[in-house]
Amino acid sequence: PVPEKSFRMAEVIGQSLGRALVSAWLRRSEAADPGPEFVSRATLGVVRQEVKVPLDNARFRGGLQAGRIWPRALDAEGALASEVAAVTLRAPDGEVLAQWACVPGEIYPELVVGGIQEPQDPGADFQGAPPERPLRALMTGRYRFIVGLCNDELGYIIPMSQWDEKPPFAYGRNAMQYGEVNSAGPRTAPTLLGAFADLLR
């Protein structure tokens, strides 16, 4: 028996999923130590969706124009082209065994597992902004993994209702938050979570 919520449990799950992925990829059961019978017949699927992320951060915009970050152009609306993706490992009976959500930046934990502050801090910039639905709640796998910095670096991905760039500042601070300095902007989270909602439907 493996203790729940232990490093050993994570190790056992990781090893099992690794064997399953190898067997699914090779489409054969003779892979070394293939594990349970279903492994040889599991399927691995990848889906992706392009997104247009508004670049509201003036610092990032200046770095882009100077050729220091992101060697690509903005579209006519001032947005960056990026993408979200998901990898799904499915058993023969259709059960989603595991999913990996591929996030193009550094996502705040409350956008993954929930816990966006409600009610909002009165200093937050976008009063009344609806909280985004947590990413793991959109997923259906028995095991749900979030992989950050996938194929892009849009900076921090922050709940819009917690965005705090302008005075008066939240939490009694006298300056803007660090995350906001290093984010594409306040519309990044709703844009990406909306795309994931479509992708994982």
Side-chain angles (χ1 to χ4, degrees):
V2 179
E4 294 260 343
K5 298 183 180 179
S6 66
F7 178 79
R8 179 66 185 139
M9 174 64 79
E11 190 175 39
V12 168
I13 291 170
Q15 290 170 346
S16 178
L17 287 171
R19 289 193 300 270
L21 284 169
V22 169
S23 295
W25 187 263
L26 297 176
R27 294 185 180 203
R28 62 184 189 193
S29 60
E30 55 266 32
D33 192 15
E37 173 61 24
F38 75 81
V39 166
S40 64
R41 294 175 284 118
T43 58
L44 187 65
V46 180
V47 289
R48 60 178 289 275
Q49 181 171 315
E50 291 187 8
V51 291
K52 298 288 187 178
V53 179
L55 183 57
D56 298 317
N57 187 325
R59 292 165 294 278
F60 280 16
R61 193 179 288 268
L64 179 65
Q65 291 167 346
R68 297 185 184 276
I69 60 172
W70 297 323
R72 61 188 194 257
L74 296 174
D75 69 9
E77 286 79 40
L80 286 166
S82 190
E83 72 174 28
V84 296
V87 179
T88 300
L89 183 68
R90 194 179 298 271
D93 64 2
E95 179 190 1
V96 178
L97 300 170
Q99 279 185 314
W100 291 260
C102 303
V103 181
E106 300 162 79
I107 191 166
Y108 272 33
E110 55 267 46
L111 287 169
V112 173
V113 297
I116 293 174
Q117 181 179 342
E118 288 189 90
Q120 288 176 275
D121 188 287
D125 294 354
F126 297 95
Q127 293 296 312
E132 294 83 5
R133 190 168 174 210
L135 183 50
R136 277 203 173 146
L138 300 172
M139 302 169 76
T140 57
R142 186 191 306 171
Y143 303 107
R144 304 170 190 190
F145 301 91
I146 311 301
V147 186
L149 301 174
C150 280
N151 200 37
D152 208 346
E153 165 56 300
L154 298 175
Y156 289 108
I157 303 165
I158 303 167
M160 190 170 184
S161 62
Q162 294 178 192
W163 188 267
D164 184 29
E165 186 177 18
K166 301 172 184 172
F169 298 107
Y171 315 115
R173 294 171 57 92
N174 57 12
M176 67 186 293
Q177 307 280 337
Y178 175 80
E180 282 76 346
V181 175
N182 296 286
S183 172
R187 295 181 285 172
T188 305
T191 299
L192 295 181
L193 270 296
F196 271 117
D198 291 339
L199 190 69
L200 295 167
R201 186 171 295 149

